[in-house]
């Protein structure tokens, strides 16, 4: 088994390591010299160009896996690759991508005679050790070509692996997965904030979190991570109240509008992240000014 991997960010590099440890030969390219130098796993080879990576396998039988940031980098890489690929090669986008972009790119690849598939990948920094959840969007034929590689990435051949549907379905499933993740994270954060605010009870919220990890209906890996974080209150206190959004939550809310399916928890969790980024500050100032205008209420000035 041999796979060509383009993109050695943290996730891509760890996937390469998991493949290599599972007996897959990996030829990898990344524009970063440091990223290439960091991949020293046996069964892996790093090269200095796309062309050198493609030369590692015969044309027409290559499986090329992209693990790149969503957007322009993925788009330009695909545009560069397609003239160099041949009929029978399979191009897989394993990074995060808007499923609408995936559908458009698949059409472009197919028009060039190249098979195309997508795969949502979840597992974060623990994927190397525990395995990744992989959600493939592909034709039946392409999925059979991918399956053995997915089985190495997954926790086992029968766990954490799914043929989610036709091309685009893998990224759609990952988008929904991340929307759910937004809501779960928000609920946990709000719940522990409520307990922390109830000062007169002096609640040991780290102990409560730890107790919930066993037998509780809300036990989960996210709760495990939260419980570990609550053991370090000084570290929490040092963190700025700013939460980024990677794009998946936005795409999930867009899909909610497109399909007319209510997803208020996901939408509210996303808007809360916007608020932490200061994007609600102007509206809050207007609210304060309106309140002062109709009721004569005091307005708090910035320090």
């Amino acid at each position: 088994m041999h796979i060509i991997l383009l993109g050695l960010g943290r996730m891509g590099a760890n996937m390469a390591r998991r493949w290599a440890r599972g007996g897959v030969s990996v030829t990898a390219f990344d524009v970063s010299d440091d990223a290439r130098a960091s991949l020293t796993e046996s069964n892996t080879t790093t090269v200095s160009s796309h062309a050198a990576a493609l030369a590692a396998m015969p044309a027409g039988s290559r499986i090329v896996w992209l693990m790149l940031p969503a957007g322009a980098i993925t788009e330009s890489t695909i545009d560069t690759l397609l003239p160099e690929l041949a009929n029978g090669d399979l191009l897989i986008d394993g990074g995060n991508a808007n499923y609408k972009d995936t559908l458009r790119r698949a059409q472009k690849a197919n028009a060039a005679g190249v098979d195309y598939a997508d795969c949502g990948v979840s597992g974060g920094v623990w994927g190397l050790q525990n395995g990744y959840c992989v959600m493939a969007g592909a034709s039946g034929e392409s999925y059979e070509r991918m399956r053995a590689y997915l089985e190495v990435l997954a926790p086992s051949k029968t766990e954490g692996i799914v043929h989610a549907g036709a091309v685009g379905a893998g990224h759609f499933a990952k988008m929904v997965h991340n929307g759910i993740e937004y809501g779960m994270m928000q609920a946990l954060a709000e719940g522990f904030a409520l307990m922390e605010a109830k000062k007169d009870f002096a609640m040991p919220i780290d102990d409560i979190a730890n107790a919930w990890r066993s037998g509780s209906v809300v036990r989960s890996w996210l709760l495990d991570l939260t419980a570990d974080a609550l053991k370090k209150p000084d570290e929490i206190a040092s963190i700025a109240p700013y939460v980024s959004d990677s794009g998946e939550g936005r795409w999930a809310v867009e899909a909610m509008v497109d399909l007319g399916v209510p997803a208020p928890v996901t939408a509210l969790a996303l808007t809360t992240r916007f608020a932490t980024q200061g994007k609600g500050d102007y509206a809050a100032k207007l609210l304060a000014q309106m309140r002062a205008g109709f009721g004569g209420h005091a307005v708090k000035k910035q320090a």
Side-chain angles (χ1 to χ4, degrees), residues 18-292:
R18 188 165 177 89
W19 270 320
R21 295 173 192 180
V24 178
S25 295
V26 181
T27 299
F29 167 71
D30 193 281
V31 294
S32 166
D33 293 340
D34 290 341
R36 295 197 304 273
S38 70
L39 186 63
T40 57
E41 193 84 22
S42 60
N43 233 19
T44 65
T45 302
T46 57
V47 293
S48 58
S49 68
H50 290 116
L54 294 179
M57 293 178 69
S61 64
R62 293 172 289 203
I63 295 181
V64 182
W65 188 293
L66 304 181
M67 207 64 197
L68 300 168
I73 295 176
T74 297
E75 193 77 35
S76 62
T77 300
I78 291 172
D79 287 342
T80 299
L81 286 174
L82 286 180
E84 303 176 23
L85 295 175
N87 185 33
D89 289 335
L90 174 59
L91 181 60
I92 305 168
D93 183 3
N96 288 338
N98 189 314
Y99 76 97
K100 294 179 181 178
D101 290 335
T102 300
L103 294 174
R104 177 177 50 76
R105 291 165 182 162
Q107 288 184 337
K108 183 162 51 175
N110 294 161
V114 176
D115 294 330
Y116 197 89
D118 57 292
C119 188
V121 182
S122 179
V125 297
W126 299 98
L128 175 60
Q129 176 181 339
N130 300 332
Y132 297 91
C133 177
V134 285
M135 301 153 264
S139 67
E141 182 180 350
S142 292
Y143 181 71
E144 287 307 312
R145 292 182 67 186
M146 299 167 60
R147 184 200 290 265
Y149 299 92
L150 300 180
E151 288 175 349
V152 175
L153 289 179
S156 77
K157 291 183 178 182
T158 58
E159 297 175 309
I161 179 172
V162 63
H163 184 187
V167 173
H171 282 154
F172 193 88
K174 178 60 167 27
M175 175 194 74
V176 173
H177 166 283
N178 280 28
I180 294 169
E181 178 185 294
Y182 274 45
M184 292 174 66
M185 292 172 67
Q186 187 66 36
L188 286 168
E190 290 176 6
F192 286 105
L194 280 171
M195 287 188 284
E196 192 276 336
K198 189 63 174 171
K199 303 295 187 184
D200 52 320
F201 280 174
M203 301 177 76
I205 56 175
D206 55 337
D207 291 339
I208 294 169
N210 196 54
W212 284 359
R213 297 170 73 177
S214 301
S216 164
V217 172
V218 298
R219 62 188 183 275
S220 65
W221 185 42
L222 286 174
L223 177 61
D224 292 342
L225 296 175
T226 304
D228 290 341
L230 288 169
K231 295 174 184 176
K232 308 166 187 174
D234 292 342
E235 187 171 312
I236 294 173
S238 70
I239 296 172
Y242 182 101
V243 186
S244 299
D245 65 290
S246 62
E248 295 271 5
R250 299 185 188 214
W251 301 336
V253 172
E254 289 172 3
M256 173 190 76
V257 175
D258 289 345
L259 298 172
V261 175
V265 171
T266 302
L268 287 171
L270 176 64
T271 58
T272 299
R273 293 198 181 192
F274 293 162
T276 71
Q277 298 164 18
K279 294 174 181 175
D281 290 357
Y282 186 77
K285 291 178 181 180
L286 283 177
L287 284 171
Q289 189 66 21
M290 283 187 276
R291 189 168 177 266

